[in-house]
């Protein structure tokens, strides 16, 4: 028996953030960019967006001083670029380093009732403040000297909990504005419901998760908002700043957990239970005070896992719905006589509208077809994202594109098949487009700039109602396809979330979270009077009304998902006794205290726009790393320009044992379709007897795109490498083609349920004419039960005798090393499934999330020789330092090799960011 410890593969934090950014994270080439400069910021934007850039400049001037009040920056960062990615019809934004910047995507989302650029300015602006905090410490300043931007960023990634970063940013949304997610009742829905109906999770599980929670996923946003709001409320607005001021500093706590304990007398686990005890009392008292409205259940989720049914329409005796199941994913569904029938798999990004905080209707139905708006990124430049309508015909069992407009955010569908779509253009203008059943534009209706229309629904007379989010708030609107009249049914509101309006006889019904729980409300469109008409313990969402049958449906949230219920309703009656007028329902108070007076809106003089030029940032290192050991010393310089079209790595060093300088230069230029990579590397060989120089030039075109429920990729490549030293030299040409196809995974899937990844690579040695051909493929298919996966992979290689280059088949971790032969092949079969959650913490160092068991078989062929191994693997996915970004997977395996009649135990560790 032999025992082997497999090499530890570590993706260090500093390494991961200094590596080149993914080649596809770019805007399309040829776009002209402009720049506005204000104190502390450069706003970079494409031609045609100057008005929005100046709007962002004003928002930054308005919010930036307030963002730093509770987290002062004693050493403010250098000028920060804000990039407006106008061609990205995706609701997102982020901050990244190397160089430090914030990217604002264009499409708005109904999150917190805020105009989208206001939301991003506050949320991402707070992240910029957070990321500057290490510079207030000695450790952070030393890290900056040693590693540039990546030094302080490494402290953030290692020591700042993700829930702190995201939850604190949500708190600022809520504190500084009249909206924000802290005012949205559904924001903490999963945590609130689980606390009142289930067994409370440990701090580590609530923060990091095991993958087997009662709700679909662990989120740092809601958990962090509740935690940071409590800390700021109970220990003062500067408590987070005081805690971060000692993070990574010797003594006084060192970790964020230790710092909170030093300042408050409780560690984070104790603080969590204190917070949840307080929330439990408040949440329970709210539920106890409810006058529960009786309803008729139509479908309820099973008790063993989270699943939901979201109604889309009623068609005779059937309910058309969207299903979300953490075990099997998202599907279009028909519910008939209490039985569910799956029609088709729905893209996860579309279903996310139902499961996320926005609770937005993303799917419509009429005449045997479902329709939805679906985004599709450019295969090479993935910041270019268009959105169009796609439909699924139930009778023909066919999915097809309906429009080719490129800027549709969502749409509703009338019983005639006509659609009312909202369009949001690159310049942030907004309009409705009335479409024929075959997707042809019939009429356009202009809406206020920057506005977002959502949850469109029509009655049988062709009158549409929808929710409209503007800078002033959310309001309900009506548009008549007969007269073309657009009118406001309400004034805009802030601090409340209105969704899902439908016309039910004389009333417009909708959901509102006024009072702290999402409930059904009725609006008299003539008088404007509003009434709460239902109360359920955890909220109603997604109203559906059938005029012909006079049926009113919605979801009813429960501990393990959204149930489907029917409400009693008589739409032609006056207000009933149990209805509650709006004036008698107090708005929900957020957990974080808002400002006594709103932030005063400022206008800043940004001066004339200038043409943005990439060249000045192409050769300015943002990060570096000085490393030394007993043999050599080296300085590594890293730079990626702002638009991610050029990455540069320069290494300068000296090897003392070989008494020779060393160095390398690596460039990745990706402004256009091909990615051009060039590198020169000079270093001593392993015996320190000669100097090896390798020069490489390669071109590749990485293409990838999400198409429906699958992700596909293709990458052709061509390169030439020249190796030389004092005794020999050789040149090689490599030509490759690789690709992949992977089906979307359900929340509890360990990996994609169906996938394949073929590849081919041909190497040619120029001086001898020898060739080496390598082929490989891997296939994944579902196993015998949910969350079971079976994968098969294989590699084959043939090389000529006069080829002296490296083998493309990697060394095995199970078999002893063996010489390279003319014909080589490997094959592997693996059956993997999870044994469930572990939820065990080893102090602050390690948190064991779950256990995974796999049966593994490997066979290796070298000419006429065959070697095989059959084994069992046990893995324990874990988190290090209570950090959601540091994942450790220790794996213990034992293999039997029948040819040698030997047992081989192995241990492996993988650690990644």
């Amino acid at each position: 028996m032999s025992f082997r410890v497999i090499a530890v593969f570590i993706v260090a934090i500093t390494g991961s953030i200094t590596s080149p950014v993914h080649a596809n994270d770019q805007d399309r080439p040829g776009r002209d960019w402009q720049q506005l400069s204000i104190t502390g910021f450069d706003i970079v934007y494409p031609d045609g967006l100057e008005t929005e850039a100046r709007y962002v400049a004003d928002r930054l001037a308005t919010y930036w001083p307030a963002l730093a009040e509770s987290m002062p920056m004693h050493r403010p960062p250098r000028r920060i670029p804000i990039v407006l990615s106008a061609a990205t019809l995706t609701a997102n934004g982020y901050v990244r380093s190397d160089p430090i910047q914030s990217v604002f995507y264009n499409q708005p989302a109904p999150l917190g009732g805020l105009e989208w650029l206001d939301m991003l300015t506050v949320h991402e602006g707070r992240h910029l403040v957070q990321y500057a905090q290490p510079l207030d410490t000695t450790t952070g300043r030393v890290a900056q000297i040693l590693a540039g931007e990546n030094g302080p960023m490494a402290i953030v990634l290692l020591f700042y909990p993700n829930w702190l970063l995201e939850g604190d940013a949500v708190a600022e949304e809520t504190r500084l504005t009249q909206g924000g997610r802290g005012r949205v009742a559904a924001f903490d829905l999963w945590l609130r419901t689980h606390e009142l109906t289930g067994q409370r999770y440990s701090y580590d599980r609530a923060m990091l998760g095991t993958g087997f929670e009662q709700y679909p996923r662990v989120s740092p946003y809601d958990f962090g908002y509740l935690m940071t709001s409590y800390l700021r409320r109970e220990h003062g607005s500067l408590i987070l700043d005081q805690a971060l001021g000692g993070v990574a500093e010797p003594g006084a706590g060192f970790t964020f957990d230790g710092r909170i304990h030093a300042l408050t007398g409780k560690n984070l686990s104790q603080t969590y239970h204190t917070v949840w005890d307080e929330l439990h009392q408040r949440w329970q008292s709210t539920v106890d005070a409810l006058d529960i409205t009786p309803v008729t259940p139509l479908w309820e989720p099973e008790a063993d896992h989270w699943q939901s049914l979201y109604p889309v329409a009623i068609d005779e005796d059937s309910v058309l719905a969207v299903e979300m199941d953490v075990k099997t994913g998202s599907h279009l569904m028909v519910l008939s006589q209490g039985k569910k029938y799956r029609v088709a798999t729905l893209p996860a990004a579309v279903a996310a509208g139902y499961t996320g905080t926005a609770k937005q209707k993303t799917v419509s139905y009429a005449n045997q077809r479902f329709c939805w708006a679906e985004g599709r990124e450019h295969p090479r430049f993935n910041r270019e994202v268009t959105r169009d309508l796609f439909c699924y015909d139930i009778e023909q069992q066919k999915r097809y594109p309906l429009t080719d407009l490129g800027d549709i955010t969502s749409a509703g569908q009338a019983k005639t098949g006509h659609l009312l779509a909202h369009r949001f253009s690159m310049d942030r203008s907004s309009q409705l487009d009335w479409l024929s059943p075959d997707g042809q534009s019939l009429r356009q209706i202009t809406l206020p700039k920057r506005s977002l229309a959502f949850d469109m629904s029509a009655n049988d007379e062709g009158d549409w109602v929808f929710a409209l989010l503007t800078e002033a708030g959310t309001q309900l609107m009506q548009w008549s396809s007969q007269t073309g009249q657009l009118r406001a049914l309400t004034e805009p509101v802030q601090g409340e979330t209105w969704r899902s309006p439908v016309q039910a006889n004389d009333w417009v019904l909708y959901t509102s979270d006024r009072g702290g729980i999402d409930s059904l409300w009725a609006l008299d469109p003539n008088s404007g009077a509003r009434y709460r008409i239902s109360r359920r313990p955890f909220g109603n969402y997604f109203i559906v009304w059938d005029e012909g049958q006079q049926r009113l449906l919605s979801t009813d949230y429960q501990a393990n998902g959204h149930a489907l219920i029917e409400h009693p309703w008589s739409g032609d009656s006056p207000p009933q006794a149990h209805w509650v007028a709006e004036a008698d329902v107090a708005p929900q108070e957020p957990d974080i205290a808002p400002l006594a007076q709103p932030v005063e809106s400022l206008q800043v003089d940004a001066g004339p726009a200038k043409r943005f030029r990439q060249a000045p940032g192409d050769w300015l290192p943002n990060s570096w790393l000085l490393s030394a050991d007993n043999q050599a010393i080296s300085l590594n310089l890293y730079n990626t320009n702002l638009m991610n079209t050029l990455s540069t790595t320069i290494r300068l060093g000296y090897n003392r044992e070989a008494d020779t300088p060393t160095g390398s230069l690596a460039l990745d230029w990706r402004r256009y379709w091909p990615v051009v990579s060039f590198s020169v590397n000079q270093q001593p060989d392993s015996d320190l007897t000669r100097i090896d120089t390798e020069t490489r030039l390669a071109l590749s075109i990485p293409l990838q795109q999400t198409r429906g429920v699958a992700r596909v990729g293709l990458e052709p490549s061509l390169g030439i490498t020249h190796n030389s030293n004092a005794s020999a030299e050789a040149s090689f040409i490599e030509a490759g083609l690789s690709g992949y196809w992977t089906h979307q995974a359900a929340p509890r899937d360990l990996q994609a349920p169906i996938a394949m990844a073929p590849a081919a690579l041909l190497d040619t040695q120029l001086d001898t004419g020898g060739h080496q051909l390598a082929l490989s493929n891997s296939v994944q298919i579902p196993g015998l039960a949910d969350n079971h996966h079976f994968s098969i992979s294989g590699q084959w290689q043939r090389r000529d005798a006069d080829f002296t280059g490296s083998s493309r088949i990697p060394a095995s971790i199970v078999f002893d090393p063996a010489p390279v032969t003319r014909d080589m092949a490997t094959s592997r079969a693996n059956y993997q499934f999870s044994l469930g959650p572990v939820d065990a913490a080893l102090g602050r160092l390690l948190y064991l999330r779950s256990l995974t068991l796999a049966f593994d078989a490997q066979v290796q062929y070298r000419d006429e020789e065959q070697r095989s191994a059959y084994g069992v693997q046990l893995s324990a996915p874990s988190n290090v330092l209570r950090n959601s970004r540091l994942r450790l997977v220790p794996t213990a395996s034992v293999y039997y090799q029948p040819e040698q009649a030997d047992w081989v135990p192995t241990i492996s560790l993988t650690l990644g960011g």
Side-chain angles (χ1 to χ4, degrees):
M1 177 185 291
S2 60
F3 181 81
R4 297 175 191 157
V5 178
I6 302 171
V8 180
F9 299 92
I10 299 178
V11 181
I13 288 296
T14 53
S16 66
I17 59 181
T18 55
S19 61
V21 180
H22 196 279
N24 290 49
D25 187 24
Q26 297 173 238
D27 285 272
R28 186 193 293 267
R31 195 180 298 284
D32 292 326
W33 294 81
Q34 305 294 322
Q35 176 179 315
L36 292 175
S37 297
I38 62 173
T39 303
F41 298 95
D42 294 318
I43 297 114
V44 180
Y45 60 94
D47 271 348
L49 215 65
E50 182 173 341
T51 300
E52 301 308 292
R54 293 188 182 278
Y55 181 84
V56 171
D58 292 341
R59 298 295 85 196
L60 286 167
T62 297
Y63 290 118
W64 185 252
L67 287 168
E69 284 177 355
S70 60
M71 199 172 278
M73 296 174 290
H74 304 295
R75 292 174 179 258
R78 61 164 178 79
R79 298 186 64 79
I80 300 172
I82 307 294
V83 180
L84 306 186
S85 187
T88 310
L89 273 180
T90 300
N92 199 5
Y94 57 85
V95 173
R96 79 177 191 205
S97 66
D98 200 20
I100 190 75
Q101 62 181 281
S102 185
V103 179
F104 290 7
Y105 285 178
N106 202 27
Q107 181 182 313
L111 290 177
L114 293 176
E115 199 286 320
W116 186 241
L117 293 182
D118 283 68
M119 167 75 81
L120 292 180
T121 300
V122 176
H123 189 94
E124 305 306 330
R126 184 62 168 191
H127 285 329
L128 292 170
V129 172
Q130 295 163 347
Y131 291 175
Q133 295 307 301
L135 297 177
D136 290 346
T137 67
T138 302
T139 304
R141 291 191 290 271
V142 171
Q144 186 182 44
I145 293 172
L146 295 177
E149 282 186 1
N150 285 336
M153 186 61 70
I155 293 176
V156 171
L157 296 178
L158 282 170
F159 293 100
Y160 291 19
N162 201 26
W163 65 256
L164 164 68
L165 300 173
E166 298 298 350
D168 176 56
V170 171
E172 288 300 287
E173 295 171 19
T174 310
R175 186 179 75 92
L176 299 182
T177 73
Q178 300 299 306
R181 278 170 279 188
R183 289 185 171 89
V184 178
F187 184 55
D188 60 17
L189 179 64
W190 294 348
L191 298 179
R192 171 164 37 102
T193 309
H194 182 262
E195 172 65 21
L196 296 184
T197 60
Q199 184 177 359
R200 183 183 300 174
Y201 293 142
S202 66
Y203 165 69
D204 294 279
R205 183 168 186 179
M207 172 184 58
L208 300 170
T210 64
F212 292 88
E213 280 62 54
Q214 191 60 41
Y215 34 86
R217 63 186 178 275
V218 169
S219 169
Y221 295 87
D222 50 4
F223 179 86
Y225 169 69
L226 296 172
M227 290 284 286
T228 57
S229 296
Y230 171 85
L231 287 168
R232 294 171 66 171
R233 187 174 65 246
E234 296 297 321
H235 301 285
S237 61
L238 293 175
I239 181 64
L240 300 181
D241 182 69
Q242 294 166 356
L244 295 178
V247 167
E249 295 279 84
F254 192 73
T255 65
F256 184 70
D257 189 4
R259 288 291 297 156
I260 291 296
H261 185 270
L263 292 169
T264 69
K266 293 181 179 180
N267 61 29
L268 289 176
S269 179
Q270 294 167 329
T271 301
Y272 159 70
H273 285 286
T274 299
V275 175
W276 256 242
D277 286 343
E278 179 184 293
L279 291 170
H280 185 106
Q281 183 177 2
R282 187 210 311 167
W283 290 338
Q284 188 63 60
S285 63
T286 300
V287 172
D288 291 342
L290 294 180
D291 184 11
I292 304 298
T293 305
V295 297
T296 302
L298 302 180
W299 175 87
E300 293 184 344
E302 300 174 7
D304 65 330
H305 69 284
W306 194 95
Q307 54 183 165
S308 295
L309 212 57
Y310 308 100
V312 175
I314 302 171
D315 191 349
E316 297 181 351
D317 62 346
S318 298
V319 177
L320 292 305
V322 169
E323 179 200 41
M324 179 61 192
D325 190 307
V326 295
K327 287 187 175 181
T328 59
S330 50
H331 299 85
L332 300 172
M333 179 72 64
V334 176
L335 179 69
S336 180
Q337 298 180 350
K339 295 184 178 180
K340 295 189 305 179
Y341 302 92
R342 287 179 177 170
V343 173
T345 303
L346 183 68
V350 178
Y354 291 92
T355 59
T357 299
K359 298 288 186 291
Q360 182 180 353
K361 288 182 177 180
T362 54
V363 177
S364 63
Y365 170 86
N367 301 328
Q368 295 294 302
R369 72 172 183 179
F370 291 94
C371 294
W372 61 89
E374 183 178 317
R376 181 161 294 180
E377 77 273 31
H378 189 279
R380 172 63 182 85
F381 307 101
N382 65 9
R383 285 194 191 172
E384 302 277 329
V385 179
T386 59
R387 293 179 67 86
D388 272 294
L389 291 180
F390 288 78
C391 297
Y392 184 87
D393 189 294
I394 297 177
E395 293 182 343
Q396 298 183 16
Q397 299 183 6
K398 176 184 177 183
R399 166 195 159 99
Y400 60 93
L402 186 68
T403 63
D404 188 23
L405 299 172
D407 57 2
I408 294 178
T409 65
S410 64
Q413 196 169 182
K415 286 187 176 181
T416 60
H418 289 78
L419 300 102
L420 188 64
H422 176 251
R423 299 177 62 183
F424 194 84
S425 66
M426 283 182 56
D427 65 0
R428 312 201 80 235
S429 60
S430 176
Q431 69 176 36
L432 294 174
D433 206 331
W434 190 38
L435 305 174
S436 66
D438 61 355
Q440 301 302 308
S441 179
L442 302 175
R443 189 181 304 172
Q444 292 82 41
I445 306 97
T446 301
L447 296 175
K449 190 168 186 177
R450 306 188 186 106
S451 64
L452 175 71
F454 58 97
D455 287 1
M456 287 75 84
S457 69
N459 63 14
D460 292 351
E461 286 74 42
D463 294 329
W464 293 80
V465 291
F466 57 93
L468 183 68
L469 174 63
T470 66
E471 298 172 49
T474 305
Q475 61 189 127
L476 301 182
M477 305 289 292
Q478 185 181 60
W479 178 74
S480 171
S481 62
Q482 302 295 324
T483 66
Q485 181 185 9
L486 175 69
R487 71 178 182 123
L489 299 176
T490 68
E491 294 297 319
V493 298
Q494 291 186 320
E496 297 179 37
T497 303
W498 290 358
R499 308 182 181 96
S500 193
V502 299
Q503 299 164 95
N505 298 340
D506 298 332
W507 298 87
V508 173
L509 306 182
Y510 63 102
T511 65
S512 170
D513 62 357
R514 185 182 180 92
I517 295 177
D518 285 276
S519 304
L520 265 61
W521 286 65
L523 163 70
D524 184 339
N526 296 316
S527 68
R530 299 192 287 268
Y531 303 89
R532 187 179 66 199
I533 65 173
S534 77
R535 292 287 269 171
R536 300 293 295 170
F538 303 115
N540 296 133
Y541 304 89
F542 307 107
I543 304 173
V544 168
W545 167 255
D546 184 271
E547 192 167 343
Q549 302 183 59
Q550 297 285 293
R551 295 182 66 189
L552 177 64
L553 274 58
S554 79
T555 66
D556 185 45
Y557 193 75
Q558 302 176 3
N560 51 345
H562 287 263
L564 182 61
I565 61 172
E566 184 167 354
H567 297 263
W569 172 253
S570 178
D572 53 2
S573 63
Q576 301 177 22
H578 69 278
W579 291 16
V580 181
E582 180 186 52
D584 297 326
V585 181
Q588 174 182 246
E589 292 296 326
D591 287 84
I592 187 80
L595 294 179
Q597 296 293 330
V599 177
E600 181 181 358
S601 183
L602 300 177
Q603 289 188 331
V604 63
D605 181 10
K610 302 176 183 177
R611 183 178 177 83
F612 172 75
R613 301 186 183 279
Q614 300 187 37
D618 285 347
W619 306 103
L620 180 65
N622 298 300
S623 302
W624 49 85
L625 186 64
L626 181 65
S627 61
D629 55 27
N630 59 358
Q631 186 180 76
I633 185 172
S634 65
L635 173 65
N636 299 270
L637 305 175
Y638 307 99
N639 179 62
T640 299
N641 65 5
L642 184 65
M643 307 311 292
N644 192 33
T645 58
L646 178 66
S647 293
T648 308
T649 301
I650 301 174
R651 180 176 59 85
L652 303 172
Y654 184 79
N655 190 297
R656 293 191 299 271
E657 289 196 21
D659 191 24
T660 185
T662 61
S664 64
L665 169 66
L667 303 176
D668 283 295
W669 187 72
R670 45 182 174 266
R671 185 169 184 179
Y672 300 104
W673 279 77
V675 177
V676 182
S677 301
F678 174 77
S679 63
V680 178
N681 183 34
Q682 178 178 293
Q683 61 183 5
D685 71 342
S686 57
D687 297 328
L688 303 179
T689 58
R690 67 172 190 262
I691 303 299
D692 289 337
T693 301
E694 179 184 89
T695 304
R696 185 173 187 272
L697 177 64
L699 289 85
S700 63
I701 304 178
L703 306 172
Q704 54 185 341
Q705 192 176 62
T706 299
R707 303 183 68 86
V709 297
R711 182 78 173 167
V712 296
L714 182 69
E715 182 168 355
S717 61
L718 179 66
I720 181 170
T721 303
H722 180 75
N723 296 316
S724 64
N725 53 54
S727 58
E729 60 180 69
S731 297
F732 302 89
I733 291 180
E734 58 185 57
L737 180 65
S738 62
Y740 68 86
W741 183 98
T742 177
H743 192 283
Q744 71 183 22
R748 284 194 183 174
D749 273 331
L750 294 172
Q751 59 192 35
I754 305 174
M756 62 183 301
L761 188 62
L762 175 65
D763 295 296
T764 301
Q765 187 167 338
L766 295 180
D767 56 331
T768 65
H771 299 283
Q772 176 178 270
L773 175 64
L775 306 176
S776 66
N777 194 14
S778 62
V779 177
Q780 295 170 191
I781 58 175
L784 301 177
D786 292 335
N787 206 18
H788 285 223
H789 301 274
F790 182 58
S791 60
I792 304 173
S793 61
Q795 295 173 301
W796 174 85
Q797 175 181 287
R798 170 167 289 182
R799 60 191 283 148
D800 295 339
D802 53 357
F803 183 86
T804 62
S806 301
S807 170
R808 294 293 181 177
I809 294 184
S812 171
I813 60 176
V814 176
F815 302 110
D816 291 325
V820 177
T821 60
R822 180 176 185 271
D823 289 303
M824 299 172 58
T826 65
S827 61
R828 183 176 185 178
N830 185 278
Y831 191 91
Q832 182 185 37
F833 58 93
S834 179
L835 299 176
V838 175
D839 184 26
L842 304 179
R844 297 176 181 173
L845 179 63
L846 193 67
Y847 175 69
L848 303 179
R849 298 199 315 271
S850 59
L851 287 177
T852 301
L853 184 66
F855 300 99
D856 194 59
Q858 300 184 37
V859 181
Q860 191 177 82
Y861 308 89
R862 294 177 182 271
D863 287 340
E864 303 301 324
E865 179 190 6
Q866 174 181 317
R867 298 187 294 179
S868 58
Y870 307 92
V872 179
Q873 300 174 327
L874 183 65
S875 302
S878 309
N879 289 89
V880 179
L881 298 177
R882 282 182 165 169
N883 191 316
S884 60
R885 296 173 293 263
L886 289 181
R887 298 193 172 188
L888 176 73
V889 183
T891 301
S893 309
V894 60
Y895 288 88
Y896 178 70
Q897 297 179 339
E899 289 82 7
Q900 288 77 32
D902 190 19
W903 291 89
V904 181
T906 66
I907 294 177
S908 68
L909 297 172
T910 59
L911 175 64

